[in-house]
Amino acid sequence: MVAEVLKPNVQDLQTDVIDLLEQISELMNRASTALSSDTSGNKYAEFEQQIRDEAKKVKHLELRMAIVAPMKAGKSTITNAIIGQEILPSRNSAMTTLPTEIILNAELTEPVLHLSAEVLSVFQETLLALRNKIEDLGMETVQEKLAQYPHLAKMPQQIQQWVGLTITAESKGCDHIINTLTSLNDIVRLCSILDPLADPIQYLTDTPRIYTPFWQLDKTKQQPKLGNLVIVDTPGPNEAGENLRLKNVVAEQLSKSSIVLIVLDFTQLKNEAAENVRKDVQKVIELRGKDNLYVLINKVDQRQEKDMTPEQVQQFVAAEFGIGDSGDTGRVFEISARRAFTAASFLLELQHNPNINLADMKTAKALAEQVFGIDWEEDFEEATARDLQTKAERLWKKSGFDPFLNGAITALMAEAAPRCLKSSLKVAHGRLLELSNDVQLRSSAINADEVKIRQEVGELEIDLQSIEQCRHQLQEIDSIKSNLYKRLEKILEDIKKQVQDSLKTYFYEEEYQRADNIKKGGMITQSFFSWASKKFNFVEIKSASSGIIEFTSMQKAEHFGEQAIASAKSSIIEPFLENVRQQAKKEIKQSRQKIQDSLETETKPIIERARQRLNENFHVNLSLPTPNLENESAGNIQVRISQKTKLVDQGYETKVIEKRDFWHWFGLVKKKEYISVKLPDKKEDYYIVSLPEIVDKSNQLIEDSIKNIKGGINKYLDEDFKQHIDRFFAELDSYLNNYRDTLLQAQQDQKKQTEERQKLVSELKSLQTEASQNIEKADSYLQRTSDLIRDKK
């Protein structure tokens, strides 16, 4: 046995695992060459390639770190500071709408943005849909809707003219990358404003990927390379905006990440922590859990004497979020992203251009302003490159970024690396066992009694037939599927009734919602009319109780109708549908377990018989997938707008008349009199939105969504269940067929000449010896990875 005296760190273990995988790959190559004369040689050639692929995974390990932040907390600046140059777009309003992956690679010379074929296709289709939408609405209406979004004002005309909106698969250099990402994010936001029910993000499974070099202050202290660090830039909890369904997209990215960094604004901690920030952090915890959550307190360079000290910040975060208590202080970092980015970008530019004049540097003035203070312009004129380099290095150290980066990388190594190593080791271990058992059985069978071999082959044929009969006779699977479908049907119908009732409450119970919330204990969901009164200050609710809402223009009525349905979708329909999906998955999970138990009961005796005869433990497990029940887009649903005409009472006007009156100058001078004259009623057009129709359209959304979920369930039961059960039996067949084929090959080996047969036996024993040694190493390394994972917990 291989004994490990000292428990190594994860870098040492990674090196050992890579060496072992390379040895196993060479062993599989030997087996393939030695047994090239028969069919098993091809199998070991496939094993060799598989092990090589696993070695690449370990060498190029991706350590994923997601960054989430409330809007304007400095998320993009933090990412740019890690890279050393500005690579992510930013503006005063919310910027990020879709996750972006940044892969750090020191071997690159310039950053490159890659968009997959899927991303390109989704956005090109979205641009076409937006072009049609703009034509339908008209440019005047479009600009009215974009009045609050000046940065989007030029896009509609560009889309119509197709100017400056060509999306390419690859963008090189920071400027091109920023322009491309800005366009993608603005397209998504524009779509959410002009067509609230459209949702291009729901079709994306890929994300934009930026491969970029990065800056390091002291390369001599660089840690051993442990793969690529992947930073995932995600939309913040309050950054998504209305009508952007990002929860599922963000949840998927967070679930793939080993650690999650949430950024908080130091200047806003006291003011907003009780409400906004705590809610934002809680949303992230709900998606990912807090065990792998780390907190960055940004903008600490703005700390004043009266503000919280670092110790108080630590206590505050621990109390408010349950993170970074006295026993776990290494999960809260105080940083200044602005200082870090200013320093890093200057030092990176200086590294690339060591002989450049300060006046020609793009980053020098920003650094001078940061480090010299109020007299920076005068000091900058007298400064040398060496002066600013020293200032930049000091500024970097004061930014707090070194402790943060070292702590984050340490956390990533402790969390992600052992799991990756364990996965690759298990694959290699399984292939080694198969090789070992194959050569051991074959070498012993060569000299075994030919009658005994023939008898064993016959037994294996019977086992294979029994497996096939078991496959066709398992009627319980059909029964489980039928009962599952019935239960899911009932769940769907019950939920549909609940959500329809909730829609009525949401739209109609205005007075109840506006009643004394203190006496009623408060309302969790904001009422529709309360939302609408804030969102649409132009709304004229003339008769809300009857469900008729009047508008002064067609455009206002149409916009209100769109936003009303979109509001119902996000506030009422989507939460209920998520409940449907969770209940359906729970039912399916229980049914999966029943099927697995049933198959195990039926197949276990067959496997046990083969195991006893062949002295081999079978490792075949039925792994049924979790269904994807995310509903598709609901299509184009519009509310009809009725145009009416009414007579508006214009009141009275005062007129002056003159008449003679004997009592007024004896009738010689006309007397002026003021009289009120009723003005004629004025015809006025107005536009009506029917609240009952909005409810009907919302119910149509429910029907369409339920239909999509049912379709997903049917597809899952009819296709995915069947495919995975077929795969289960195929694996059983493969195990039994493998041993049968090995015995049949041994029968052929017995017919070889004595010298040739002895040479083959010698080669098989050599392969067996080396396989056993590698199995011992793999067992040892698996134990070491388990220890690292246990230590992390």
Side-chain angles (χ1 to χ4, degrees):
M1 293 292 292
V2 178
E4 298 296 331
V5 179
L6 297 175
K7 185 174 74 171
N9 58 31
V10 69
Q11 294 99 327
D12 291 339
L13 180 56
Q14 181 198 24
T15 301
D16 290 343
V17 171
I18 291 172
D19 290 343
L20 176 60
L21 292 175
E22 289 176 349
Q23 293 174 23
I24 296 172
S25 175
E26 293 174 1
L27 175 63
M28 294 301 172
N29 179 268
R30 270 187 56 205
S32 173
T33 303
L35 305 175
S36 59
S37 59
D38 55 65
T39 57
S40 60
N42 294 331
K43 180 175 73 173
Y44 299 126
E46 293 175 1
F47 287 0
E48 178 189 2
Q49 185 57 50
Q50 188 176 20
I51 300 301
R52 288 190 183 279
D53 291 341
E54 292 300 323
K56 287 180 182 178
K57 290 180 184 178
V58 175
K59 286 180 182 178
H60 304 290
L61 176 65
E62 286 194 347
L63 306 176
R64 295 176 63 86
M65 177 174 69
I67 302 182
V68 182
M71 190 172 68
K72 309 318 298 175
K75 171 164 56 68
S76 295
T77 307
I78 289 170
T79 305
N80 290 334
I82 295 173
I83 298 167
Q85 55 188 323
E86 189 170 3
I87 201 169
L88 293 179
S90 62
R91 63 163 65 105
N92 290 331
S93 58
M95 184 72 244
T96 307
T97 56
L98 55 147
T100 303
E101 297 180 0
I102 301 100
I103 299 92
L104 304 187
N105 187 335
E107 298 175 1
L108 296 176
T109 57
E110 70 172 339
V112 182
L113 169 66
H114 288 286
L115 302 180
S116 68
E118 177 195 272
V119 173
L120 290 172
S121 175
V122 167
F123 276 93
Q124 292 293 356
E125 291 177 6
T126 303
L127 281 173
L128 287 172
L130 279 172
R131 192 175 189 181
N132 294 332
K133 187 69 175 179
I134 292 167
E135 290 177 358
D136 291 342
L137 293 174
M139 189 59 70
E140 184 178 348
T141 301
V142 169
Q143 291 300 333
E144 284 183 9
K145 293 191 173 193
L146 297 180
Q148 301 178 33
Y149 310 93
H151 59 281
L152 301 177
K154 295 181 180 179
M155 282 194 71
Q157 189 172 2
Q158 288 179 318
I159 292 174
Q160 277 193 321
Q161 299 174 352
W162 216 257
V163 175
L165 286 175
T166 301
I167 302 174
T168 57
E170 184 176 281
S171 302
K172 291 185 178 181
C174 291
D175 291 341
H176 289 154
I177 289 173
I178 289 174
N179 289 338
T180 300
L181 290 177
T182 299
S183 296
L184 294 181
N185 283 298
D186 286 349
I187 288 168
V188 175
R189 287 205 179 273
L190 184 65
C191 191
S192 74
I193 297 166
L194 299 185
D195 195 358
L197 296 180
D199 184 16
I201 292 179
Q202 70 173 324
Y203 300 110
L204 287 176
T205 57
D206 289 341
T207 61
R209 301 196 102 197
I210 302 173
Y211 296 84
T212 180
F214 57 96
W215 171 84
Q216 291 173 298
L217 178 61
D218 187 354
K219 294 186 177 181
T220 61
K221 295 182 179 180
Q222 181 180 1
Q223 294 182 350
K225 181 172 173 58
L226 192 69
N228 294 320
L229 175 62
V230 181
I231 302 171
V232 185
D233 181 36
T234 66
N238 66 344
E239 198 172 30
E242 291 179 19
N243 308 324
L244 292 177
R245 290 199 311 147
L246 293 170
K247 180 179 178 182
N248 294 330
V249 180
V250 174
E252 181 181 0
Q253 293 300 321
L254 295 185
S255 67
K256 291 179 181 178
S257 299
S258 298
I259 67 172
V260 177
L261 302 172
I262 186 158
V263 184
L264 302 180
D265 186 339
F266 175 79
T267 65
Q268 299 296 321
L269 282 181
K270 285 187 176 181
N271 297 336
E272 299 182 5
E275 297 294 334
N276 298 338
V277 175
R278 179 161 39 190
K279 291 177 182 178
D280 293 341
V281 175
Q282 189 58 43
K283 289 175 184 177
V284 176
I285 292 176
E286 288 173 2
L287 289 173
R288 188 62 176 86
K290 67 179 182 179
D291 291 341
N292 299 311
L293 185 64
Y294 291 73
V295 177
L296 304 184
I297 309 297
N298 191 23
K299 304 182 183 180
V300 294
D301 53 309
Q302 299 182 39
R303 174 181 272 130
Q304 298 179 4
E305 186 176 353
K306 62 182 179 180
D307 291 332
M308 287 189 288
T309 65
E311 293 75 17
Q312 289 172 330
V313 168
Q314 195 88 33
Q315 295 170 2
F316 171 83
V317 173
E320 292 293 327
F321 313 124
I323 301 168
D325 55 23
S326 58
D328 192 15
T329 57
R331 292 170 62 191
V332 179
F333 302 94
E334 287 196 354
I335 63 169
S336 169
R338 183 180 61 168
R339 286 178 174 176
F341 174 67
T342 303
S345 58
F346 173 83
L347 291 169
L348 181 63
E349 185 179 7
L350 191 61
Q351 285 178 4
H352 288 169
N353 306 281
N355 298 320
I356 192 173
N357 293 323
L358 285 181
D360 297 329
M361 292 186 69
K362 297 179 180 179
T363 59
K365 289 185 178 180
L367 175 64
E369 187 174 2
Q370 180 77 227
V371 298
F372 288 141
I374 192 170
D375 297 325
W376 73 269
E377 291 175 314
E378 291 81 1
D379 292 338
F380 178 60
E381 291 180 358
E382 301 175 0
T384 65
R386 180 59 183 167
D387 293 335
L388 282 181
Q389 181 180 354
T390 301
K391 291 286 188 181
E393 291 173 355
R394 291 176 181 173
L395 187 65
W396 170 263
K397 291 178 180 178
K398 289 183 177 181
S399 71
F401 249 60
D402 263 340
F404 150 56
L405 286 178
N406 290 334
I409 297 300
T410 300
L412 279 167
M413 289 191 298
E415 172 65 24
R419 297 189 185 280
C420 175
L421 299 179
K422 186 173 184 178
S423 174
S424 295
L425 282 170
K426 288 179 101 174
V427 171
H429 191 273
R431 293 315 185 199
L432 283 170
L433 281 176
E434 192 164 345
L435 170 63
S436 176
N437 290 327
D438 283 354
V439 297
Q440 184 177 14
L441 177 63
R442 185 167 171 178
S443 60
S444 62
I446 288 176
N447 298 318
D449 182 70
E450 197 275 336
V451 175
K452 184 177 180 182
I453 293 177
R454 189 167 58 250
Q455 181 181 356
E456 184 58 44
V457 170
E459 293 289 341
L460 284 170
E461 293 283 1
I462 294 173
D463 289 338
L464 285 166
Q465 293 174 9
S466 298
I467 291 290
E468 189 63 24
Q469 290 175 0
C470 173
R471 182 179 190 167
H472 291 295
Q473 292 175 1
L474 276 176
Q475 300 298 324
E476 186 175 354
I477 293 177
D478 293 332
S479 174
I480 290 174
K481 285 170 57 178
S482 176
N483 292 334
L484 173 61
Y485 187 76
K486 289 178 181 177
R487 291 197 303 274
L488 292 176
E489 275 277 318
K490 187 175 186 307
I491 289 174
L492 292 176
E493 291 303 318
D494 290 347
I495 292 290
K496 184 168 71 174
K497 180 66 169 60
Q498 291 177 34
V499 71
Q500 288 172 343
D501 290 343
S502 295
L503 279 172
K504 292 179 181 178
T505 300
Y506 182 67
F507 281 119
Y508 285 113
E509 293 191 7
E510 174 193 4
E511 296 305 321
Y512 177 81
Q513 298 282 9
R514 289 183 175 181
D516 186 350
N517 285 334
I518 296 177
K519 294 181 179 178
K520 295 181 183 300
M523 300 298 294
I524 296 176
T525 303
Q526 186 183 30
S527 74
F528 166 72
F529 282 101
S530 175
W531 169 83
S533 63
K534 296 177 182 178
K535 177 70 178 177
F536 302 95
N537 55 8
F538 52 77
V539 173
E540 301 176 43
I541 303 176
K542 296 296 180 67
S543 51
S545 59
S546 65
I548 301 299
I549 307 175
E550 296 181 10
F551 295 84
T552 58
S553 72
M554 175 70 78
Q555 291 83 358
K556 292 178 180 179
E558 288 177 343
H559 188 42
F560 176 82
E562 288 179 346
Q563 293 292 337
I565 293 179
S567 170
K569 183 180 179 184
S570 61
S571 300
I572 302 295
I573 299 173
E574 279 300 327
F576 274 97
L577 291 177
E578 181 61 25
N579 187 18
V580 169
R581 287 188 280 267
Q582 292 304 320
Q583 289 195 48
K585 289 177 182 179
K586 181 179 179 181
E587 290 287 337
I588 289 172
K589 181 180 179 180
Q590 294 174 349
S591 296
R592 284 206 314 262
Q593 189 60 51
K594 289 182 180 179
I595 290 176
Q596 288 175 216
D597 293 343
S598 175
L599 288 175
E600 182 180 354
T601 300
E602 295 292 332
T603 59
K604 191 173 182 179
I606 302 171
I607 296 174
E608 184 63 23
R609 288 200 305 270
R611 186 194 67 78
Q612 290 177 352
R613 290 198 316 274
L614 299 170
N615 193 28
E616 159 62 6
N617 287 313
F618 286 78
H619 301 283
V620 182
N621 296 310
L622 174 63
S623 178
L624 293 170
T626 299
N628 180 15
L629 302 179
E630 298 301 329
N631 54 304
E632 299 176 359
S633 178
N636 188 19
I637 295 179
Q638 294 182 334
V639 177
R640 290 176 302 167
I641 309 298
S642 300
Q643 181 177 351
K644 303 286 185 181
T645 302
K646 59 185 176 182
L647 295 175
V648 179
D649 186 350
Q650 297 194 84
Y652 292 81
E653 70 174 350
T654 301
K655 283 189 174 184
V656 179
I657 62 172
E658 294 181 344
K659 66 178 181 178
R660 298 182 186 278
D661 187 342
F662 177 80
W663 302 105
H664 182 74
W665 298 96
F666 303 102
L668 296 175
V669 179
K670 290 183 178 180
K671 179 183 179 183
K672 291 183 178 181
E673 284 191 11
Y674 295 90
I675 63 171
S676 293
V677 179
K678 188 178 187 310
L679 294 172
D681 291 343
K682 177 185 176 183
K683 287 186 177 182
E684 186 177 274
D685 292 336
Y686 66 100
Y687 302 86
I688 288 176
V689 174
S690 169
L691 209 53
E693 184 179 358
I694 290 177
V695 174
D696 289 342
K697 296 293 184 181
S698 300
N699 284 329
Q700 182 182 334
L701 274 178
I702 299 169
E703 294 286 350
D704 292 345
S705 300
I706 294 293
K707 182 179 178 181
N708 288 332
I709 291 176
K710 285 182 178 180
I713 291 172
N714 285 332
K715 179 179 180 296
Y716 176 76
L717 296 178
D718 294 338
E719 296 180 17
D720 292 350
F721 254 42
K722 182 179 183 301
Q723 289 175 3
H724 282 74
I725 290 171
D726 288 346
R727 189 176 301 148
F728 170 78
F729 282 106
E731 289 182 2
L732 287 179
D733 287 345
S734 176
Y735 271 98
L736 296 177
N737 275 310
N738 179 62
Y739 284 104
R740 182 195 61 183
D741 294 344
T742 300
L743 292 174
L744 290 173
Q745 187 61 52
Q747 287 180 312
Q748 297 298 318
D749 294 338
Q750 288 181 334
K751 298 177 183 179
K752 295 179 179 180
Q753 297 295 327
T754 302
E755 183 178 349
E756 185 181 4
R757 189 168 65 246
Q758 289 177 346
K759 181 179 179 181
L760 175 61
V761 170
S762 176
E763 184 64 36
L764 290 173
K765 287 184 177 179
S766 175
L767 292 171
Q768 164 65 23
T769 300
E770 191 172 342
S772 298
Q773 292 172 350
N774 285 331
I775 287 173
E776 288 187 357
K777 284 186 179 180
D779 285 335
S780 172
Y781 296 167
L782 279 168
Q783 182 59 52
R784 286 159 61 183
T785 58
S786 297
D787 291 342
L788 286 171
I789 294 172
R790 186 167 52 252
D791 291 343
K792 174 70 172 76
K793 293 180 179 179

